[in-house]
Amino acid sequence: MAISPNNLEPQNARETKAPAAAKLKSLPVRRNQVDSAGKIETGADLTEHLNLEIKNKYEKDRKLGEGTYATVFLGHLKKDPKSEVAIKKIKVMQEYKDGISVSAIREIKFLQELSHPNIIAMHDVYSSKNQNLCLVLEFLPLGDLEMLIRDSEGIRYGTADIKAWMAMLGRGVWWCHENFVLHRDIKPNNLLIAANGEIKLADFGLARSFADPYNRMTWNVITRWYRPPELLYRARHYGGAVDVWSVGCVFAELILRVPYLAGTSDVDQLDKICQAIGSPTEQNWPGVSELQDYVKSESIRPLQKKESFLGLFGTVGEGGVDLLMSTLILDPRRRVTAKQFLQHRWWTSEPRPTKTENLPRKGGVSAREKVGEDLKRRGGELDNDKGADKVARKLDFGNRSKQAV
Amino acid sequence: MNEDDIYRTSTQFRFWTYTAKALTDLRASSNSLAASRVRDAIKRSREQGSKSETSTNNAVPEVDCLTVEEEQKLVGWYCTKAMEFCDFSEFPKAVKATAVQFLKRFYLSTSPMTYHPKQMMLSAIYLATKVENFYIGIAEFAKMIPKTTADDILAPEFLLTQGLRFTFDVRHPYRSLEGGIMELHEMSRGSYIPPHGSSFTTEDVRVGILKVKSHRGKPATMTPDECAERIKRAHNKAGDILTKGALLTDAYFLYTPSQIWMSALLAADKPLAEFYLHIILSGTPNGSVSEPSSLELRLLSLLEQCAGLMTRSSSRGPDETETMELKRIDKKLYHCRNPEKIDLVGMNKAVKEGSNGDKVDEEKVVKKRKIERDRAAKEEQDLFGAPLKK
Ligand SMILES: Nc1ncnc2c1ncn2[C@@H]1O[C@H](COP(=O)(O)OP(=O)(O)O)[C@@H](O)[C@H]1O
Ligand SMILES: [Mg+2]
C-alpha cells in the first residue's frame, strides 16, 4: 500500500518534475511567441507552450513504416543528432466521428505508466499543428520477432536463443500484470527488437486495466491464433491468464517456426486447440460448461500427454516442454501466472540463455558488432553479464534494473 | 519493488502530485498568465472594433478578471455538475471520478477565462468514458444532453488532452477501500493473517477489534455481529466520502490513493481506522507494541489532515448564498472571457481543415481496420445495455 508519509514529503525531484509549476516561473508573459517554424502564435497558453517545447525537442527524418492507425517516422533529438527515436503519428480520420480513438487513448495511457526494459519506452507525447497525436518511442530498428521466425533460410537459432527471447517476453508481460494491465494482443508481430537485441512488448492499442474483477470485458480481443479457449468461449471475466496463453503460443511458434495453432475461424481455432491439447470438459476445467459459447463436443479428445509434447517440442528439453505445457493449460485458473512462469526451473537449467548481444538478428549476424557502443553506455551491467555464465542465478524480473540473464 | 515504488512510477505521482505550496503557486501563475492574455485579447478586439466602426469607446475600463478563488469556485461547481450528470446517466463510478479529476487537472494550468468549464465539462466526461472502458458512440452520448451537438463535445477534446499532458490514467482509492474493508471483516472473523514480522496473532487481532472503542471514546465489547455491522457502517460512510469530498477537493493532488481511502475510513470511524492502521503497521520496526510507533503517528497526523480536507464544507454542494456567489462569478466571467478562445468548434474546424495531408484510399483501409478495433472496445460496454437515454 502506498501509504508511506514519505510520498508526501516535498522532494526536489517532484518540485522539478511538476514541470508546469517549474515552467511557469520561467515563462515570461509575452504577447506573441515565435515557434521554430517562424510562425507567430498569438498568446499561446501554458499547455500549448509546454507542448511546443516538447515538439521542438525532436526532428523527424524519414518514414519508417505504416501501421493500422499510425505512420511511424525515424527522428532524432535536435540537441543530439546521433540519437534515434521513432515518432508514431496517429492518423486523424475525418470519418472517425468519436474524437480521439480508443486505441490511441489506450496506447498512450498504458505506455505512460509502464516503464520496463521489455516494454517499448515512450519518451514523450505531443501534438502537431494539425492536432495529430505524436508518440515519441524508443527506436527499435531490428524488426519484430515474426520476421525472425519466418526467415528460416537466413536465420538459425537454438534453445539458448529461444530461452533468452522468452525470458524477456515473460518479464514484459509480468510487469504489465503487476500493474494490473492486460495486453490482449501478444503475438510475434508485436514483439519488436532493439538494436542491442532486447525484445520489447509493443502495441498497447487493445490493452486494458483489470484491477476490478467485477467488470465485464469483451472476449473479442487477441489475434485468433494466440487467443485462449476461454475467450473463444466468450468469457466475460478473465485475467492475466489470457496473455499467458498467448505467450505459450509464441513459445511454441519459436520452436516450430510456424504458428502453432493456426485456426481459420473461431470454430476451427477451438478445434485446433482440442486436437493439440485436449477437449475442455468439466473434469479438466470446472465451470467451463457455463461459458456462453461452450458446446460439448461429440468426440472428446483426451488431454495430450507430455510425451506427445516432447515429440513436437523436445528440442527445448524436458524443462522447456514442462513450462510450455503450463502456459497452455485449458483452465485459466490453473494456467501459470506470469510470475510463476518466470520462476520455472527451465530458466536456470542448461543451456544458459544467450546473452542479449549475441542473439541472432535480422540480416543473419549477431548484434555483437553493433553493441560496443551500447555496452559503454550501460556501464556496470557488463560485469553482471559475465558473472551470469558461471553462476546459475535465479531469473531477474528486470524491473528497471539490470538484466541478469 | 513494493507498492510505494510502483506508485511513484505512475503519472499521477510524477505529473499530478504537488505540495500544497506548489499547488497554490501554480494556480496563481496560471491565473495571472490568463488574465494578461485576456486583457491583451480584449484590447485587440476593441482596437479592431474601433477601426471598423470609427467611433465611441475611448475611455474603456480595465477588464476585471477572475481571482484564483473565483476560478476555483466556478470549476468546483462544474465538477459537481459533471458528477450529477454521471449519476443521472448511471455511469460507473470510475467514469465520474476520472472526469472530475480531468477537469481539476486541466484547470491547474488553464483558466476558466480562457476556456469555459461549461465547454470542457462534457468533453471531460466523454474522454473519461473512453479511458474507463465505458465507451459510447458520440451520437448516442450527444443525444443524452439537450441542446448539444457532437461537435460541441468533441471540439474541446484536443485542448483537454493537451492540458492533461496526455496522461489519462487516474488512480482511484475505491479498490483499495474494498480491500481494506475485507481485511477488517477478516480481522473480526478471526481469519486475518497479520503482516510478516508482527508479534500479533490472528487471535490477538480478533479479540482486539471487538474491543475497539466507540466513536465517542467509550470502551466497548462488541459481538462479532455488532462488529461486522460497525465495519459496514464505516464502509458506507467512507465510500460516500470517496465519491464526493475526495473528488471535489485537492485530495488527489496532495495524497496517494491509499492515504485517501484510509483518511476516509478515519473520518468515518476514527477508532476503527486507528486500530486497523496499528495492525497493518505491526510488521514494521517498533510496530508490534501497544503504543503507536513514530511512523504511525506521522502517518496518522497526515491522514487527519486529509480527512479534514475531504470533509470540509467545500466538499458539499453549494448552498443558497454560494449559489448567489456563483451567479455573480459567472456574470463576471462573461466580461472577462478571452474572446479569441470562445468559438471552440470554429477553432477546431479551422485546424482540421488545414490538415488534409493523407492520401484518401490509404485512409480508407486504415479506417476500416481501426473501426473494427474500436468496435471491440465499444462492444465491451454494450453489455450494459443502453441505459443511457433518459
Ligand atoms: N519503435 C519503432 N521503431 C522502429 N520501427 C517502428 C517502431 N514502431 C513502429 N515501427 C514501424 O512502423 C510500423 C507500424 O507501426 P505499428 O506500431 O505496428 O503501428 P500500428 O499500431 O498502427 O499497427 C511497424 O511495422 C514498424 O515497421
Ligand atoms: Mg502493429
Side-chain angles (χ1 to χ4, degrees), chain B residues 11-214:
Chain B
T11 52
Q12 179 152 315
F13 181 75
R14 290 184 295 130
F15 290 2
W16 303 107
T17 299
Y18 298 87
T19 59
K21 176 160 186 316
L23 200 58
T24 313
D25 290 351
L26 177 54
R27 286 191 173 122
S29 320
S30 300
N31 170 271
S32 71
L33 183 65
S36 75
R37 299 267 194 260
V38 164
R39 294 198 179 102
D40 288 351
I42 290 183
K43 209 194 261 159
R44 271 195 296 274
S45 77
R46 276 175 187 158
E47 278 163 12
Q48 277 187 352
S50 58
K51 259 180 236 150
S52 53
E53 286 158 34
T54 64
S55 63
T56 58
N57 57 21
N58 307 332
V60 276
E62 182 73 355
V63 186
D64 186 19
C65 289
L66 296 188
T67 65
V68 175
E69 291 70 36
E70 288 170 335
E71 288 180 337
Q72 275 202 266
K73 280 185 187 158
L74 202 66
V75 172
W77 195 71
Y78 280 100
C79 287
T80 46
K81 288 285 126 190
M83 289 164 70
E84 282 168 17
F85 175 77
C86 290
D87 286 340
F88 177 79
S89 310
E90 293 172 2
F91 287 173
K93 204 153 57 176
V95 171
K96 170 166 97 171
T98 296
V100 170
Q101 292 315 305
F102 280 172
L103 281 172
K104 290 190 66 93
R105 288 175 176 186
F106 181 77
Y107 283 108
L108 279 188
S109 55
T110 310
S111 164
M113 296 182 279
T114 315
Y115 301 114
H116 200 295
K118 196 157 109 188
Q119 290 172 299
M120 304 309 298
M121 179 185 88
L122 293 171
S123 207
I125 297 172
Y126 190 60
L127 183 64
T129 65
K130 290 194 267 187
V131 167
E132 299 292 351
N133 303 303
F134 199 75
Y135 176 33
I136 305 162
I138 188 66
E140 197 183 333
F141 186 84
K143 248 189 272 164
M144 295 157 58
I145 308 139
K147 287 185 283 183
T148 304
T149 65
D151 271 355
D152 295 330
I153 298 160
L154 292 179
E157 185 177 56
F158 188 77
L159 285 166
L160 179 67
T161 56
Q162 188 172 267
L164 295 174
R165 314 197 55 233
F166 309 107
T167 61
F168 302 128
D169 190 47
V170 184
R171 312 230 166 164
H172 298 294
Y174 305 125
R175 195 170 48 90
S176 328
L177 173 69
E178 298 309 315
I181 294 297
M182 216 145 77
E183 279 185 322
L184 279 167
H185 279 298
E186 282 168 10
M187 288 178 183
S188 75
R189 278 197 300 263
S191 58
Y192 174 80
I193 294 158
H196 187 74
S198 168
S199 66
F200 293 124
T201 63
T202 297
E203 183 60 13
D204 293 339
V205 176
R206 190 189 69 83
V207 173
I209 197 171
L210 295 179
K211 285 194 189 141
V212 170
K213 283 186 195 143
S214 82

Side-chain angles (χ1 to χ4, degrees), chain A residues 2 8-9 30 112-113 218, chain B residues 4 11 37 166 254 256 380:
Chain A
L8 289 172
E9 269 150 24
R30 276 172 298 185
Q112 289 273 31
E113 304 298 319
T218 177
Chain B
D4 273 19
T11 52
R37 299 267 194 260
F166 309 107
L254 299 169
T256 70
E380 202 140 66

Side-chain angles (χ1 to χ4, degrees), chain A residues 110-120 167-183 201 204 210 243 338-339 342 397-401, chain B residues 1-10 171:
Chain A
F110 293 114
L111 289 183
Q112 289 273 31
E113 304 298 319
L114 297 167
S115 160
H116 186 278
N118 300 116
I119 296 175
I120 189 170
M168 291 190 273
L169 170 57
R171 288 194 213 99
V173 174
W174 167 76
W175 187 241
C176 290
H177 293 181
E178 197 74 356
N179 284 276
F180 297 98
V181 175
L182 297 179
H183 184 280
L201 188 49
F204 280 70
F210 65 109
D243 285 339
K339 187 169 185 172
L342 293 178
F397 285 18
N399 48 47
R400 306 188 308 147
S401 53
Chain B
M1 203 157 176
N2 62 24
E3 269 186 72
D4 273 19
D5 295 332
I6 291 186
Y7 182 69
R8 282 198 201 94
T9 68
S10 70
R171 312 230 166 164

Side-chain angles (χ1 to χ4, degrees), chain A residues 228-248:
Chain A
E230 64 269 30
L231 294 182
L232 293 162
Y233 287 142
R234 308 196 167 184
R236 291 302 193 180
H237 301 275
Y238 52 84
V242 298
D243 285 339
V244 172
W245 179 277
S246 309
V247 167

Side-chain angles (χ1 to χ4, degrees), chain A residues 233 281-292 294 331 333:
Chain A
Y233 287 142
T281 62
E282 277 294 323
Q283 279 73 48
N284 61 38
W285 180 353
V288 65
S289 59
E290 275 143 51
L291 293 175
Q292 187 181 317
Y294 178 74
D331 182 350
R333 265 165 308 190

